[in-house]
Amino acid sequence: MALLLVPAFLVGQPARAEGVLPFRDPELPLATRLGDLTGRLTLDEKVSLLHQYQPAIPRLGIASFKTGTEALHGVAWLGKATVFPQAVGLGSTWDPGLIKRVGAAVGDEARGFNKLDPAKNGLNLWAPVVNQLRDPRWGRNEEGYAEDPLLTSEIATAYGRGLQGDDPRYLKTAPTLKHFAAYNVEADRSRVSASVPPRVLHEYEYKAFQPALTARAATGVMASYNLVNGRPTHVSPELNETVRSWSADELMIVGDASGAGNISGSQKYYPTPVEANAAAIKAGLDSFTENDANGGPTVAAVKQALAQGLLTEADIDNAVRHLLSVRFRLGEFDPAGRNPYEKIGPDTIDNPAHRALAREAARKQMVLLENKNQALPLKPARTKNVAVIGQLADSIYEDWYSGTMPYRITPRAGIAERLGAGSTVTATEGVDRIALRSVANGKYVTAPAGAAGGALAADADTAGSAQGLDVFDWGGDTLALRAAANGKYVSRSGSELVNNQDKPNGWFVQQQFRLVKVANGNYVLHYRGNEIKEPWNGPNQYIVVQPDGKLAIGAATPDTAAQFTREVLVSGTAAAVEAAKKADTAVVVVGSNPFVNGREDDDRQDTALAAGQQAIVKAVTAANPRTVVVLESSYPLTGDWSGAKAVLWTSHAGQETGRALADVLYGDYAPSGRLPQTWYRTDEELPDPLDFDVIKAGWTYQYHRPRALYPFGHGLTYGKFRYDGLQASPVVAANGRLKVSVDVTNTSRTASEEVVQLYTAQRTSRVAQPIKTLRGFQRLTFAPGQRRTVSFDVKASDLAFWDVTRNKWTVESALQGVQVGSSSADIRARTTVLVRGEVIPPRDLSRRTAASDFDDYSGVEFIDAAKVRGDAVGKIAAGDWIAFHDVQLNRGATRLEATVSRSAAGTAKAEIRLGSPTGPLAGTLTVPATADHYSWTTTTAQLDRRLTRGVRDVYLVFTDAGTNIRDLTIT
């Protein structure tokens, strides 16, 4: 009698339909199905799946799969789709419920596009971006939600849940959090190493990523372009060891475009792609986003790594399991009809419900910054004649990650629609129309008529409409020129200038110029397209007039460029003033262009409102005292709009911007957005962009002490609110909960929403604590006169900070100030509670202590202690120091031992001082030269035991450059 052998993983499983492979049986556990499918794949097939474009495997009936559909604030790059406000605008709603609905709509539209073309339009969505808005000059400020970890994580979790859907088993789409981690600089971004202390990593960076993963609101993360503490994030052990610990699900970790290639390319961290790819897979990277749709180079490198023993098949299996787990959860391998989201079709794209939701989101994200004497809302009966003025008065701009808008309601159009028949709504851009005349040949520059445009040439004797160029000042000394002849923007085509673009656009935005006045009063034209910073572009950036009269990029310096006279044909300021004087109300719409004023790969140098636009604001507010200023931008602005009666901020809010603006201006909706980041008074207050230590540098409302122009959480509304009856738990145990309640009353006759914000401020601590920290918020609707009791329930563990002395989260015993109000600066009620935590004991440096766990420092940076893992302190200059506070030295320590390296020639020294960097000298450490910074050696210093007694602050002061230190021990 023959024995029937049954695979162990099938024992005890339900009966399966005849002929159905186990991995296609939805009744089996996911782990079983994953094991079955992985076991059926050949090694070549498994390796092929590690690329962004996973090929089909016909013999198993497996279709191709693509990771990475962009869905930041709507489905992008696939065709016309609903465009919601920019992510920074979604953050300014402070409304997770709304954001979940927005995410659900975007997820539906992604499913609709997937039905149209499954191979191209994938269901793995690269959103949301959870990098926090540390520096408002960051080019990608428009992509993030907030400068605060709690607000960022709440909005990201809501958006992710909307994208995924609520089915307990199946995913609607698979969202991916971007970009892990400490990513906030675009300039030379692949070579920037963010030097991030442990407290900042745990208390700031990780707190934005962890909650969405722990809540199962995302299926993975994308590694960032930068390095963290000297190590490329694409080979960071934190991918496997930290990120994956945050979720109960298998996570799919993907590389950013060309990010893995940078490891052996621009970062030169490993010498070859073979070693780089192997290290990335070992660290936790599952999917390589390289070479567009061509997976060949990735596959070849991984196969070589296997052949060289740098990888094992088990390593490949781990990555494949992570990838396939997401595909299983999307329902790909289940019978048709099982996943409830399969029925979503293309008819969901830009449907009426999504249009209505886009309008709701656009108005909820608007922030009323100022409202003098209740100038808003406007009364339609008194504002029949409205002048809408400014460069954004009758335009709606997309950004790099926008979808293609199916329609655009501009501010002018929205106001005109709201006021209806019998009103007059005019739009005036307020830009100068100029003519340029070549000094060399005496001819005016002509732009060809017709939709296709053509080459600009200095060939006209007089200046008419064909010679007119409208000058758009976007700030940063950058202009865009629009030809009056055909309404098209001047752009680069080869080396020539042509008028053929509808708007500034493209990866290299080639519609950017600068008019430079030279000593004799003439002008030269400087081409400022983004590619001028690329080494392959060549030295020429200035315009010349060729023998045939055509304008071309052909000079490297202003001295060799063509000179022009500049004649103003139409004054933008005069036109704006004339329109304003005739109007009942002037609405000035100024701000940024998302393709010009910073974007991916392009940081801003400042946050100033463009000088030309600032001049329009000043002129119009002087001409019409009933002026409202609307600041439309992707980031905080600095400037002077003090003459306006009211000031509103909006992000670039998508297709419904104009209607949403009219809703707010005319009181059909009371504005209730709140700023998700601090608006600083001047750029001079901002730290260095490369200083990632938010605590020591003073970034964000938590640590920035000067008074803000507009603080984090700020936003006015048409209602008025009173806060009273604040109650809080008087004593809170470390494992308990802080319960807070406050009565909030709408004391006005206007229905409105209020965003009630809870902050805490720890009064005493071993370490530098935030000025205050957001602990909760609720956006609530109030009828006129309505009173509501608003309650918060905060875990005491949320008050913990990362204790570097013991590498753990710690709740200290301390008084905590409890503050409730309408912004971080507008606190309406406050009290104090006692938190019974622990007192951190003195540091014990008799145990080996990582140098990176210092308490304070000057000048030093973090570096990688080894290629695979570990941090050290390095990039040391003479006079730099690190400090360890409250060190228990017992009855007299006699020896300090340190693990050091030094790639520079000769020996170096480090002084051990007590109390301060200039305190008593307790000993001197000699650091010998080593082969490189990874070649660590041990060195010791004898300590003066007469000084090393009791609890003291210990400083290591480096007298020479080039030393690196990994750890130390004092005995």
Side-chain angles (χ1 to χ4, degrees):
M1 179 178 177
L3 294 176
L4 179 62
L5 298 179
V6 180
F9 64 78
L10 293 181
V11 174
Q13 301 297 341
R16 189 173 60 256
E18 187 175 352
V20 175
L21 296 175
F23 78 86
R24 292 196 177 275
D25 186 351
E27 303 305 322
L28 294 177
L30 176 57
T32 301
R33 299 174 73 190
L34 272 170
D36 177 70
L37 178 52
T38 304
R40 293 178 187 277
L41 298 173
T42 67
L43 181 56
D44 283 351
E45 288 169 341
K46 287 186 282 192
V47 171
S48 75
L49 298 178
L50 303 185
H51 189 261
Q52 178 188 17
Y53 287 82
Q54 301 174 24
I57 303 174
R59 70 181 185 85
L60 293 174
I62 295 176
S64 62
F65 184 88
K66 173 183 171 287
T67 66
T69 293
E70 299 291 355
L72 182 63
H73 53 109
V75 180
W77 307 353
L78 302 185
K80 291 182 178 179
T82 309
V83 176
F84 294 94
Q86 291 178 302
V88 67
L90 298 180
S92 70
T93 68
W94 289 59
D95 191 341
L98 168 69
I99 303 309
K100 183 180 179 183
R101 290 191 285 130
V102 171
V106 176
D108 286 350
E109 296 201 8
R111 275 277 174 181
F113 278 109
N114 181 255
K115 275 284 179 63
L116 292 172
D117 189 345
K120 176 186 175 185
N121 306 333
L123 293 174
N124 169 230
L125 307 186
W126 285 355
V129 171
V130 298
N131 300 113
Q132 295 175 88
L133 306 182
R134 172 184 65 97
D135 184 351
R137 296 165 298 192
W138 183 35
R140 303 182 79 164
N141 196 87
E142 64 196 25
E143 297 183 39
Y145 293 131
E147 68 180 27
D148 175 78
L150 177 65
L151 180 56
T152 295
S153 63
E154 290 279 345
I155 298 296
T157 298
Y159 193 64
R161 282 176 169 155
L163 293 175
Q164 286 190 171
D166 293 322
D167 189 87
R169 174 168 183 167
Y170 290 103
L171 297 170
K172 181 193 298 184
T173 65
T176 300
L177 305 181
K178 297 162 65 173
H179 312 79
F180 187 82
Y183 174 41
N184 273 127
V185 171
E186 296 304 298
D188 204 21
R189 59 186 177 175
S190 71
R191 285 188 281 265
V192 167
S193 179
S195 185
V196 191
R199 278 192 65 198
V200 177
L201 274 177
H202 287 87
E203 296 176 29
Y204 191 71
E205 294 294 338
Y206 292 171
K207 277 199 169 184
F209 285 87
Q210 181 177 357
L213 294 172
T214 300
R216 305 181 73 182
T219 59
V221 304
M222 173 187 283
S224 56
Y225 280 120
N226 56 297
L227 303 90
V228 174
N229 296 348
R231 184 179 295 104
T233 65
H234 283 67
V235 293
S236 171
E238 302 299 321
L239 299 177
N240 262 335
E241 297 170 10
T242 299
V243 173
R244 287 202 156 95
S245 73
W246 291 334
S247 177
D249 296 319
E250 298 274 16
L251 298 179
M252 178 171 70
I253 296 178
V254 305
D256 208 338
S258 301
N262 289 337
I263 301 168
S264 60
S266 59
Q267 294 165 340
K268 302 187 187 309
Y269 199 72
Y270 285 99
T272 68
V274 174
E275 293 162 280
N277 285 14
I281 291 170
K282 287 279 193 182
L285 194 73
D286 305 314
S287 180
F288 290 77
T289 311
E290 305 290 323
N291 304 296
D292 297 321
N294 179 15
T298 295
V299 168
V302 173
K303 285 184 176 180
Q304 288 183 52
L306 286 163
Q308 295 175 23
L310 300 175
L311 289 172
T312 67
E313 188 167 357
D315 295 322
I316 307 301
D317 286 348
N318 280 336
V320 168
R321 186 179 72 253
H322 301 146
L323 296 167
L324 292 177
S325 69
V326 172
R327 295 177 66 171
F328 271 105
R329 294 175 66 200
L330 286 166
E332 179 180 343
F333 305 120
D334 284 9
R338 293 294 291 259
N339 187 333
Y341 304 116
E342 288 177 8
K343 63 180 180 293
I344 299 173
D347 59 342
T348 194
I349 300 170
D350 186 40
N351 67 28
H354 292 178
R355 292 185 173 194
L357 183 60
R359 182 174 182 173
E360 180 184 355
R363 65 189 188 183
K364 280 194 168 184
Q365 55 87 53
M366 291 187 180
V367 181
L368 181 59
L369 299 174
E370 299 181 24
N371 193 21
K372 299 173 184 175
N373 301 317
Q374 290 74 53
L376 292 180
L378 301 173
K379 295 177 174 56
R382 299 180 185 176
T383 53
K384 291 295 186 180
N385 186 342
V386 180
V388 189
I389 300 168
Q391 291 182 188
L392 294 105
D394 205 19
S395 297
I396 296 290
Y397 291 107
E398 294 164 353
D399 61 37
W400 181 249
Y401 285 104
S402 285
T404 303
M405 295 185 198
Y407 60 91
R408 300 163 191 259
I409 307 299
T410 68
R412 180 207 59 78
I415 292 170
E417 180 182 284
R418 171 62 179 82
L419 292 178
S423 62
T424 302
V425 179
T426 59
T428 304
E429 290 172 316
V431 300
D432 286 343
R433 176 166 293 178
I434 67 170
L436 297 176
R437 185 175 63 85
S438 167
V439 172
N441 69 11
K443 303 289 186 179
Y444 288 94
V445 174
T446 301
L456 272 64
D459 60 4
D461 294 324
T462 59
S465 61
Q467 289 70 45
L469 295 171
D470 296 331
V471 181
F472 289 80
D473 183 0
W474 292 117
D477 218 10
T478 299
L479 309 172
L481 302 173
R482 186 181 64 195
N486 66 350
K488 296 296 183 72
Y489 282 85
V490 177
S491 186
R492 175 181 187 167
S493 177
S495 64
E496 293 184 343
L497 300 189
V498 297
N499 58 319
N500 66 354
Q501 296 298 309
D502 292 331
K503 57 188 175 182
N505 65 88
W507 179 255
F508 297 118
V509 183
Q510 298 182 319
Q511 300 80 41
Q512 301 181 84
F513 298 90
R514 183 168 68 114
L515 274 170
V516 183
K517 193 171 186 178
V518 294
N520 62 10
N522 295 328
Y523 291 84
V524 297
L525 189 58
H526 183 192
Y527 173 70
R528 302 261 289 173
N530 298 87
E531 75 275 20
I532 63 174
K533 64 186 178 184
E534 300 295 335
W536 46 260
N537 183 67
N540 291 338
Q541 298 181 13
Y542 291 86
I543 306 305
V544 298
V545 176
Q546 301 180 122
D548 61 0
K550 291 183 179 178
L551 273 60
I553 304 167
T557 66
D559 294 341
T560 56
Q563 292 192 9
F564 301 91
T565 60
R566 177 185 182 274
E567 299 179 18
V568 177
L569 304 180
V570 178
S571 167
T573 300
V577 168
E578 182 181 4
K581 286 181 175 179
K582 294 178 180 178
D584 298 324
T585 294
V587 178
V588 181
V589 190
V590 291
S592 70
N593 183 312
F595 271 80
V596 176
N597 298 115
R599 195 202 64 193
E600 181 176 358
D601 202 39
D602 186 16
D603 289 319
R604 287 174 292 278
Q605 299 307 305
D606 59 57
T607 60
L609 179 65
Q613 298 190 59
Q614 181 72 69
I616 293 298
V617 170
K618 184 176 181 179
V620 172
T621 54
N624 188 328
R626 299 170 301 282
T627 296
V628 176
V629 170
V630 178
L631 303 173
E632 184 176 350
S633 69
S634 308
Y635 55 92
L637 291 165
T638 52
D640 179 11
W641 34 82
S642 58
K645 286 298 183 183
V647 183
L648 274 165
W649 173 79
T650 175
S651 73
H652 294 278
Q655 61 203 48
E656 289 283 348
T657 298
R659 289 193 180 110
L661 178 60
D663 288 341
V664 169
L665 291 176
Y666 289 96
D668 301 320
Y669 178 79
S672 49
R674 298 290 188 269
L675 292 179
Q677 61 187 132
T678 302
W679 285 40
Y680 299 93
R681 288 192 169 273
T682 69
D683 289 335
E684 285 69 30
E685 291 182 5
L686 295 173
D688 188 306
L690 296 178
D691 191 341
F692 287 79
D693 186 347
V694 297
I695 299 174
K696 193 174 180 68
W699 289 109
T700 81
Y701 79 97
Q702 292 190 65
Y703 296 99
H704 187 76
R705 294 197 174 275
R707 186 166 63 93
L709 177 64
Y710 301 116
F712 173 78
H714 172 70
L716 307 176
T717 187
Y718 298 153
K720 292 184 178 180
F721 292 89
R722 184 182 69 242
Y723 287 63
D724 50 32
L726 176 64
Q727 296 185 3
S729 318
V731 179
V732 180
N735 61 352
R737 308 185 81 90
L738 169 63
K739 296 187 177 183
V740 179
S741 66
V742 65
D743 294 331
V744 181
T745 305
N746 180 359
T747 61
S748 70
R749 298 178 180 178
T750 301
S752 187
E753 291 173 283
E754 173 75 340
V755 181
V756 183
Q757 302 166 38
L758 170 68
Y759 296 87
T760 64
Q762 187 167 322
R763 299 287 178 82
T764 58
S765 178
R766 181 187 180 279
V767 300
Q769 288 283 352
I771 299 167
K772 63 185 64 175
T773 301
L774 182 69
R775 299 300 185 187
F777 61 92
Q778 294 184 44
R779 179 171 179 147
L780 301 168
T781 301
F782 289 78
Q786 184 179 5
R787 176 175 177 169
R788 301 178 66 164
T789 298
V790 183
S791 298
F792 297 94
D793 189 347
V794 180
K795 292 185 295 185
S797 58
D798 289 342
L799 307 178
F801 69 93
W802 185 256
D803 176 19
V804 296
T805 72
R806 296 170 297 174
N807 298 120
K808 70 170 191 173
W809 288 101
T810 298
V811 177
E812 278 185 305
S813 287
L815 291 174
Q816 290 274 358
V818 176
Q819 306 174 11
V820 182
S822 193
S823 84
S824 62
D826 184 7
I827 301 302
R828 307 291 185 84
R830 60 183 78 219
T831 188
T832 302
V833 302
L834 173 63
V835 176
R836 295 194 185 278
E838 61 178 309
V839 176
I840 298 174
R843 295 197 74 148
D844 181 5
L845 295 190
S846 67
R847 297 177 295 185
R848 190 162 296 279
T849 300
S852 57
D853 283 331
F854 53 65
D855 287 298
D856 198 3
Y857 67 101
S858 175
V860 304
E861 294 184 28
F862 292 96
I863 62 172
D864 51 333
K867 292 280 190 183
V868 175
R869 65 169 46 79
D871 294 341
V873 173
K875 296 190 177 179
I876 292 170
D880 290 353
W881 52 261
I882 57 175
F884 299 84
H885 294 162
D886 305 323
V887 178
Q888 179 63 62
L889 296 175
N890 299 317
R891 296 182 179 179
T894 60
R895 185 171 181 268
L896 183 147
E897 179 180 287
T899 305
V900 296
S901 69
R902 177 174 171 77
S903 53
T907 60
K909 295 189 181 298
E911 298 174 342
I912 299 100
R913 293 186 176 273
L914 303 179
S916 77
T918 58
L921 178 65
T924 302
L925 192 71
T926 300
V927 181
T930 60
D932 56 39
H933 98 248
Y934 299 121
S935 299
W936 299 98
T937 189
T938 300
T939 185
T940 61
Q942 295 303 309
L943 303 179
D944 186 343
R945 65 182 305 166
R946 294 171 300 175
L947 301 174
T948 55
R949 294 176 179 274
V951 177
R952 304 293 300 272
D953 294 345
V954 177
Y955 286 76
L956 267 68
V957 182
F958 302 96
T959 60
D960 305 280
T963 296
N964 308 303
I965 179 168
R966 190 179 69 189
D967 53 52
L968 72 158
T969 308
I970 296 179
T971 55

